[in-house]
Amino acid sequence: MTSHPRHRAGLDRRGALKSAGGLLAVSMLPLDTAAAQDAEATKPRTPPRARQFQGRTLTATVADYAAATSLARIPPEVLDRARKVVFDEMACAYFGCTSPGATAATRHVAGCGSPGEARIYGTALRASAPYAAMANGTAGHGYEVDGTHVVGGHPGASIVHTVTAIAEKQNASGAELLNAVILAYDVGVRIVEACGGKFSVRDRRHLTSDFFYAMGGTAAAARILKLSPTRHRHALALVTFQTNGLYALYAEKDHISKSFCNGQYAFAAISSAQMAQAGLEGNEDIIGSAEGVLDAWGDGRHDDAVVAGLGRDFKIMGANFKFYNAGYPIHTPIEAVQTIIRQNAIANDAIQSILIGMPQNAMKVVDNREMHNISVQDMVAANLAKGGLKLVDEPFPAILSDPTYKRLRTLISVAVDPELQSEFPNGRGARVTIVTRDGKRHVLRIDNPRGHSLRGDVSWDDLAEKWRGSLPNCDPGRALEIARNLDKLTSAKDLFAAFAGTNG
């Protein structure tokens, strides 16, 4: 059975942490098991006055750390993961620039008449850094091929396009860009954890926790701008004016507002850092103060997560990569179905039924949704009908009239799997049972999809294969080689130029 090890790197950012008041060693509260969550529910809420670390407020601790970070003490495996994340997310935006959400966002940005500080990938357009981040962040999530995270959500589409846009404006080095991306994950993911995790935020507050990644992006943009710790604190407060995310936004059928969320969070992150740079101010302890972030959205039992392991536990190591154009909980069902079919040479007309068992939270995300690429029934049926789908394939809506698809779609049922629910309530695993007309049952359980950080690292060859032939007028091989050496570039402009082609 796959366990959930912590993603920790062996080296500390000791230099940065000295300026933040010493090495942070608060242990992480468990979030992974139902038993742990039940135990945590009995803990009293932390009063705002107690939200401090070593005599400093939580926001001051985060800001001091953020303003002093550099790439010098990042462990090699963390640095390599960051390079891969940057390359993959930039490719996702180039690929997704033709999606309905990205097309609309780019049209809006073009009408704003902003200066051409940063490029909009896959187009000939440029815009101010905040607006370029808006267009690219929307495109990044436009076709559901962007990365996810073990804590939940899609941080990369917001974070990476925040950093690349402000880095292009500032002519930042590759090292500065990578450091900012790592920092953004460290701040944004911790805020999600401190608020109880993705599903807790959804169930208690009816919000998508992805808007917390704007706080990570804000810290990253402020670092690229070389703001002081005080200005970092103001920027973190100012971004809360501009971000929110009602979960109802994910209910629309065309994936427009869902993808635009990521663009809006990237826009907010840069503009908030620039506002702080210009002298605008906000509450200097927006995270831990009374009526602040933790009071508004936290569960009162994981406040320490804001600073737990900061400088030792690098959250980008929990980043996941996607290899299907589908919502992440759909990946294990597709893989399991394809594996059963391949290993047992089962023809589509021999299938009598398909049962997909999942944890309840994952099932809520993908069960019979109107958006085809986040409906597990739609995507599994389409993969079977087409004999597999490539990244560039867009079967909907044309396939809806296909007789084979229509028949297979009626054979698929989805239910909570008791074992997966008990072991990994917030996981992305699935157990698939295919019954054939001869009465045989074929069962396969997969705990983590391909590309998931708990399943092992993704190689550069994996990413090269993912994007080969999928980026018109762009050479992904050249972009990949630049990304592999990104930390050595005195200016990251070569990486941006590698994505300067026009898609479509």
Side-chain angles (χ1 to χ4, degrees):
M1 203 62 62
T2 304
S3 63
H4 283 248
R6 297 294 177 198
H7 299 287
R8 298 190 181 280
L11 300 179
D12 298 346
R13 290 184 172 185
R14 292 186 177 87
L17 287 166
K18 286 178 181 177
S19 65
L23 183 65
L24 302 175
V26 182
S27 61
M28 208 42 200
L29 293 173
L31 292 171
D32 294 335
T33 67
Q37 290 172 342
D38 290 342
E40 288 299 313
T42 64
K43 289 186 64 177
R45 292 182 66 91
T46 306
R49 64 181 178 277
R51 290 181 181 136
Q52 292 194 348
F53 177 77
Q54 295 186 350
R56 302 281 286 162
T57 69
L58 295 182
T59 309
T61 302
V62 170
D64 290 353
Y65 174 76
T69 55
S70 74
L71 212 61
R73 292 176 175 83
I74 297 296
E77 66 272 23
V78 178
L79 180 58
D80 192 55
R81 176 60 64 90
R83 295 188 196 104
K84 291 172 181 173
V85 167
V86 169
F87 165 74
D88 189 59
E89 294 294 341
M90 292 180 72
C92 287
Y94 191 100
F95 179 75
C97 73
T98 59
S99 66
T103 301
T106 300
R107 189 182 307 120
H108 166 68
V109 167
C112 292
S114 58
E117 298 170 342
R119 71 191 69 235
I120 298 175
Y121 302 123
T123 78
L125 301 174
R126 298 180 68 87
S128 68
Y131 279 109
M134 174 184 284
N136 292 331
T138 304
H141 189 50
Y143 283 134
E144 281 282 356
V145 294
D146 55 309
T148 64
H149 196 278
V150 292
V151 81
H154 293 260
S158 297
I159 285 173
V160 170
H161 299 302
T162 295
V163 174
T164 54
I166 193 66
E168 185 167 8
K169 176 184 183 298
Q170 298 297 117
N171 195 28
S173 69
E176 289 173 320
L177 187 157
L178 287 168
N179 177 69
V181 168
I182 294 167
L183 170 63
Y185 273 84
D186 281 341
V187 175
V189 171
R190 281 178 167 81
I191 297 296
V192 176
E193 291 175 326
C195 289
K198 171 184 176 176
F199 297 112
S200 174
V201 173
R202 181 196 67 189
D203 294 343
R204 290 182 299 105
R205 298 290 186 251
H206 311 290
L207 299 171
T208 165
S209 60
D210 274 21
F211 78 95
F212 293 128
Y213 296 131
M215 298 190 74
T218 299
R223 186 70 187 97
I224 293 284
L225 292 172
K226 298 180 171 58
L227 301 190
S228 69
T230 299
R231 289 288 121 194
H232 269 264
R233 296 198 293 273
H234 292 311
L236 289 169
L238 291 166
V239 76
T240 64
F241 284 108
Q242 303 185 65
T243 55
N244 209 320
L246 291 170
Y247 213 83
L249 292 169
Y250 285 10
E252 51 91 20
K253 64 181 179 180
D254 293 324
H255 207 275
I256 292 176
S257 63
K258 188 175 189 291
S259 53
F260 182 70
C261 285
N262 295 94
Q264 173 60 29
Y265 303 151
F267 172 88
I270 295 178
S271 58
S272 297
Q274 291 179 327
M275 289 174 184
Q277 183 182 44
L280 288 171
E281 298 186 353
N283 186 312
E284 291 197 32
D285 184 25
I286 195 64
I287 298 173
S289 71
E291 319 302 337
V293 169
L294 295 179
D295 266 7
W297 298 303
D299 65 359
R301 294 181 293 275
H302 299 96
D303 295 350
D304 288 349
V306 173
V307 295
L310 194 58
R312 295 182 294 109
D313 179 7
F314 296 96
K315 297 301 182 180
I316 200 168
M317 296 303 289
N320 306 319
F321 298 87
K322 295 173 73 173
F323 292 89
Y324 298 115
N325 180 346
Y328 210 41
I330 300 172
H331 288 218
T332 44
I334 288 176
E335 183 180 355
V337 167
Q338 289 179 335
T339 301
I340 291 173
I341 295 297
R342 183 179 65 252
Q343 291 181 348
N344 297 280
I346 299 172
N348 283 339
D349 58 7
I351 298 173
Q352 180 174 302
S353 66
I354 300 173
L355 172 63
I356 300 171
M358 314 173 77
Q360 186 175 39
N361 279 327
M363 191 179 80
K364 286 180 181 179
V365 175
V366 297
D367 183 20
N368 212 28
R369 295 290 294 274
E370 280 196 77
M371 279 185 270
H372 299 298
N373 64 352
I374 60 169
S375 168
V376 66
Q377 291 93 335
D378 289 357
M379 290 304 298
V380 169
N383 268 270
L384 281 170
K386 291 293 187 182
L389 291 174
K390 298 178 181 178
L391 202 65
V392 296
D393 292 337
E394 274 292 318
F396 298 99
I399 200 172
L400 295 175
S401 60
D402 181 278
T404 301
Y405 167 83
K406 291 167 71 175
R407 185 186 72 82
L408 290 167
R409 179 69 167 74
T410 66
L411 304 180
I412 299 169
S413 59
V414 181
V416 174
D417 183 282
E419 193 173 79
L420 287 169
Q421 176 66 23
S422 175
E423 295 176 18
F424 307 119
N426 294 333
R428 291 292 183 261
R431 186 196 313 274
V432 169
T433 303
I434 297 181
V435 178
T436 49
R437 294 185 184 277
D438 59 7
K440 292 182 180 179
R441 292 168 56 86
H442 307 271
V443 183
L444 179 61
R445 169 177 163 170
I446 298 177
D447 287 345
N448 298 296
R450 181 188 178 199
H452 197 286
S453 56
L454 296 178
R455 187 158 153 175
D457 196 14
V458 167
S459 71
W460 285 102
D461 286 344
D462 291 332
L463 293 179
E465 179 60 30
K466 172 181 176 178
W467 292 112
R468 187 173 292 119
S470 299
L471 304 177
N473 300 313
C474 176
D475 182 355
R478 175 173 174 266
L480 184 146
E481 286 305 315
I482 293 171
R484 292 185 75 164
N485 296 284
L486 183 55
D487 50 303
K488 299 179 177 65
L489 299 180
T490 56
S491 171
K493 62 183 180 181
D494 288 346
L495 179 64
F496 308 138
F499 288 96
T502 301
N503 183 359

